[in-house]
Amino acid sequence: MIGQEAGKSFAYVLGVFLGDGCVTTSNIAGRDRTMFRLNTIDEDFAQATKAALQHLSDYKVTLWCHAVSKSSKPNWALGLGDRVLCKRLVDDTTRKAKIPGYVFDWPRDFKLAFIAGLIRSAPPLCSIHSTTSSCLPAAGLMRVLKSTPYVRPSRLILSISASVRASITR
């Protein structure tokens, strides 16, 4: 059984994965290599995701900074080669197509960790009204918010500048 902190870490990582994270597979020297990846300009977000992944896995989490030609800000790239974790993220979300049903039954702390990971991965939320399958359906996020005590979905503010804030009241 996963302890409470590992549970919160998994919830956060699941939110990040459904947002801006991804799982890639490449063939290196005849071996398939599966990696959890995240690229962001937000160093704090990259560090928080790294910490959550370190709670979940014994594999080394790599984090490095590099320049991007089309941006004045540095890019933070994160990678983890834990095949079991990657498979669970992909399978549980049907390749990022849905929020797993067990999320709605999680305790409040886990739901808030999930929401935090998802909201920090702003791009899919910015196009939340899109009808394409590549972004998380608004109804799914709203269901998680509505099932979380003391979170008011009507106070979720989506701004054009990709700044996403959730007002969590007590």
Side-chain angles (χ1 to χ4, degrees), residues 16-166:
V16 171
F17 174 70
L18 282 169
D20 212 16
C22 69
V23 169
T24 61
T25 303
S26 57
N27 190 302
I28 300 172
R31 270 184 78 206
D32 283 340
R33 184 169 180 183
T34 303
M35 297 280 295
F36 174 88
R37 295 187 183 275
L38 175 69
N39 287 297
T40 180
I41 59 171
D42 184 346
E43 181 182 4
D44 292 335
F45 175 42
Q47 293 287 355
T49 303
K50 178 181 179 184
L53 287 168
Q54 287 174 325
H55 275 108
L56 292 175
S57 180
D58 292 331
Y59 288 83
K60 181 182 177 185
V61 180
T62 57
L63 178 64
W64 65 98
C65 181
H66 59 91
V68 177
S69 62
K70 295 181 181 180
S71 175
S72 61
K73 296 182 180 182
N75 188 35
W76 293 89
L78 180 143
L80 171 69
D82 187 332
R83 184 181 299 240
V84 173
L85 177 61
C86 290
K87 181 172 175 20
R88 179 156 184 206
L89 291 170
V90 170
D91 291 350
D92 287 5
T93 63
T94 315
R95 297 181 185 216
K96 295 180 75 165
K98 67 176 183 121
I99 296 173
Y102 57 75
V103 170
F104 303 101
D105 297 327
W106 274 345
R108 181 177 188 271
D109 292 1
F110 289 22
K111 287 180 186 176
L112 292 177
F114 170 79
I115 291 166
L118 187 59
I119 287 176
R120 291 198 75 183
S121 295
L125 294 176
C126 293
S127 57
I128 202 162
H129 297 291
S130 171
T131 57
T132 66
S133 62
S134 64
C135 74
L136 185 68
L141 176 59
M142 294 312 252
R143 281 180 50 216
V144 174
L145 289 169
K146 286 179 181 176
S147 70
T148 306
Y150 309 112
V151 174
R152 295 184 186 163
S154 62
R155 289 200 168 171
L156 185 66
I157 301 165
L158 302 176
S159 72
I160 296 171
S161 67
S163 172
V164 180
R165 297 178 186 97

